[in-house]
Amino acid sequence: MREIDVDLTEGSIAGHFRTLALPAALGMLFSTLYNVVDVYFAGQISTEAQAGLAIGFQAFFIMMSVGFGLGAAMSALVGNAKGSKDDAQARALASQGLSFGILAVAILLIVGVFGGPLLIQLVSEPGGYRDAATTYFYILLAALPGFLMAYGANGILQAHGDTKSLQRALMVAFFANCGLNPLLIYGIPGLIPGLGLPGIAVATVISQTGVMVWIITRVMGRRIMEGFSLSWLTPDLPRYREIAAQMLPTTSAMMVMFISGFVVQYALKNFGPEAIAAYGVALRIEQILLLPVLGMTGALLPIAAQNFGAQEYDRVRESLFFCFKLGFVMSAVAFPILWFASPFFIRLFSDDPEVVRIGTSYLRVDSIIFPIYMMLFAINSFLQALKRPVWTLWISIYRQGFGVAFFIWIYVGLIGMDVWGVWIGIATAVATGWLLALFIAARIAGEEIGGLRAQASPA
């Protein structure tokens, strides 16, 4: 039975946000809780294991940025084709997107084997937590096909207005991970030997491969994939170039973001493994509270993309400003939680008082810049929908490439602050990057849709 497509060029913008954002946010909730479970069990092993997981996962996610970029490209390109009612174009782009993903996996596996350990060495000191990070990373490489293909294919589903399929897959993966982690870490005496920290990586490989199989199955259920043949996957260089042009800026921006994480970890290593562990734990808590925002700004991409393809520019503007308004409400809810409850949440993962102190300081700074993150995410989706993703790269290069390193150097290297200098450096980079993003969004909107303000109709 073929799945029903959703036309986002008609009906209530608010209604489309409810339809798309809630399942997306729930899916990301379970994805984040999945990572939280990993952090929790690593903490049960040791602080070194927790720090090793944080660093190893960061190295892995640099490669995963290709999957996020491919997903965003598919959502924008297929969404534009759907908006203009061109099913042949949508079919060709979707098929070539899957083909592109397969080739990317093969290349990245080779790069990861040689490049991953070098990144880990750069941001860690010799010892237990570096060894743990390297071992964890090598095993996690086997999950790369699952992650990259699942998120790339999910972009095709998003373009059709389907955010529920990934939500369901991530829910199942979360519960599977809850059972697999203790089983593989501790084993069953006399039956299954315990693997320790590597068991967490093996659990991820198993569950994420299942997610990939489910998402690709759902893609094949779309109307545009009816009559699918393997010949559709034969590389088409013009299509590859079109996909790469849309994907590379977003992928590069994601890579810059994750490299920024290494810059932060490099600065924190001077304050000991407790600081690195605290940062890893605080990031998971931050991600949970950002989930509604990420679901909402993720929903903005297919809504704006379809309407841009249909030349419904007023609806493109309306979707962006509705996203902003709802985001400010979410930020008002998140602030008191981040500021007042952060020590409690950190203690759920570690009883080390230094980890709790450092993690709390990060989350309190984060509570202040939360609405700025929201607007940045929305602007990125907006630019992607308008098929101008290269600007998301320039924003990211400034904010997460230059800005984070420069301002941390100012506060820590020149002024001599402690971990607070790292957090304030991040906040300064985010705030100035937001100002740059607003300027760029206004300029691109003027070129593509007649500006961010609705234009008066001619007499």
Side-chain angles (χ1 to χ4, degrees):
M1 185 174 112
R2 292 287 154 187
E3 300 294 328
I4 298 174
D5 296 346
V6 179
D7 188 347
L8 302 175
T9 64
E10 299 177 354
S12 164
I13 292 291
H16 290 319
F17 268 100
R18 283 194 301 271
T19 301
L20 299 182
L22 288 175
L26 281 173
M28 285 185 284
L29 171 62
F30 281 97
S31 177
T32 302
L33 289 176
Y34 185 109
N35 293 331
V36 166
V37 169
D38 287 352
V39 173
Y40 172 80
F41 278 107
Q44 299 304 299
I45 299 171
S46 67
T47 298
E48 282 194 339
Q50 208 167 48
L53 182 141
I55 293 174
F57 197 65
Q58 193 80 14
F60 178 77
F61 250 62
I62 288 180
M63 296 187 298
M64 262 309 304
S65 60
V66 174
F68 291 121
L70 182 59
M74 289 294 95
S75 186
L77 292 172
V78 178
N80 270 247
K82 292 292 295 179
S84 60
K85 315 302 181 188
D86 189 343
D87 280 357
Q89 174 83 333
R91 178 181 300 110
L93 287 166
S95 302
Q96 288 301 298
L98 295 174
S99 171
F100 191 101
I102 294 169
L103 180 62
V105 167
I107 295 171
L108 287 172
L109 285 173
I110 297 172
V111 172
V113 167
F114 297 101
L118 297 178
L119 283 174
I120 291 170
Q121 290 174 21
L122 183 65
V123 297
S124 63
E125 299 291 344
Y129 80 101
R130 175 188 286 181
D131 295 339
T134 304
T135 301
Y136 175 81
F137 173 82
Y138 271 135
I139 297 173
L140 202 60
L141 278 177
L144 183 63
F147 275 107
L148 195 149
M149 293 302 298
Y151 283 100
N154 185 59
I156 301 170
L157 298 180
Q158 280 188 319
H160 288 80
D162 177 7
T163 55
K164 291 182 179 179
S165 293
L166 184 62
Q167 169 212 327
R168 293 166 182 165
L170 293 176
M171 288 175 65
V172 173
F174 164 74
F175 288 111
N177 195 46
C178 288
L180 287 171
N181 262 349
L183 176 64
L184 295 172
I185 291 170
Y186 305 114
I188 299 176
L191 293 176
I192 301 175
L195 300 176
L197 180 63
I200 298 177
V202 174
T204 299
V205 173
I206 295 170
S207 56
Q208 191 57 41
T209 300
V211 171
M212 175 191 68
V213 171
W214 167 252
I215 293 298
I216 291 179
T217 300
R218 298 294 286 179
V219 168
M220 293 304 168
R222 309 312 306 190
R223 180 169 54 84
I224 63 168
M225 303 303 287
E226 190 170 1
F228 173 79
S229 166
L230 287 177
S231 63
W232 295 7
L233 301 179
T234 303
D236 179 344
L237 293 184
R239 299 286 185 196
Y240 270 25
R241 283 194 292 269
E242 187 176 5
I243 293 168
Q246 188 72 17
M247 181 202 78
L248 285 176
T250 302
T251 292
S252 300
M254 293 292 291
M255 285 186 177
V256 171
M257 180 182 74
F258 291 120
I259 291 171
S260 173
F262 275 105
V263 171
V264 174
Q265 288 172 335
Y266 181 82
L268 290 175
K269 77 175 183 177
N270 296 320
F271 303 107
E274 293 82 7
I276 294 176
Y279 179 60
V281 170
L283 279 180
R284 298 297 185 270
I285 296 168
E286 174 193 58
Q287 287 166 1
I288 291 175
L289 289 173
L290 277 172
L291 288 174
V293 170
L294 292 170
M296 177 191 64
T297 56
L300 172 63
L301 175 51
I303 293 171
Q306 277 202 24
N307 283 286
F308 181 64
Q311 298 183 15
E312 295 284 350
Y313 300 149
D314 282 339
R315 288 174 64 84
V316 175
R317 283 186 282 266
E318 182 185 351
S319 64
L320 175 63
F321 285 109
F322 181 86
C323 190
F324 279 165
K325 292 173 186 176
L326 191 57
F328 283 119
V329 174
M330 294 176 179
S331 299
V333 173
F335 176 82
I337 298 173
L338 284 166
W339 188 272
F340 296 108
S342 52
F344 167 76
F345 289 125
I346 297 291
R347 288 191 190 97
L348 293 177
F349 300 94
S350 176
D351 55 6
D352 187 321
E354 189 66 4
V355 171
V356 174
R357 181 187 69 82
I358 296 173
T360 298
S361 66
Y362 174 82
L363 290 177
R364 286 181 171 165
V365 172
D366 192 58
S367 69
I368 298 170
I369 59 174
F370 195 91
I372 300 177
Y373 276 126
M374 176 273 297
M375 287 184 283
L376 279 167
F377 297 155
I379 289 170
N380 282 346
S381 290
F382 176 72
L383 294 172
Q384 187 86 39
L386 269 55
K387 299 174 75 172
R388 301 292 289 273
V390 69
W391 290 106
T392 67
L393 173 58
W394 289 116
I395 294 167
S396 184
I397 286 174
Y398 167 76
R399 177 171 71 90
Q400 296 167 309
F402 168 79
V404 168
F406 177 73
F407 290 116
I408 288 177
W409 172 70
I410 291 290
Y411 294 122
V412 177
L414 293 186
I415 299 177
M417 296 177 69
D418 58 8
V419 291
W420 278 96
V422 178
W423 310 150
I424 296 173
I426 294 172
T428 306
V430 170
T432 53
W434 163 66
L435 293 174
L436 175 63
L438 282 177
F439 172 79
I440 290 172
R443 179 181 173 184
I444 298 303
E447 295 174 0
E448 298 288 348
I449 61 174
L452 289 176
R453 291 182 177 274
Q455 302 298 306
S457 299

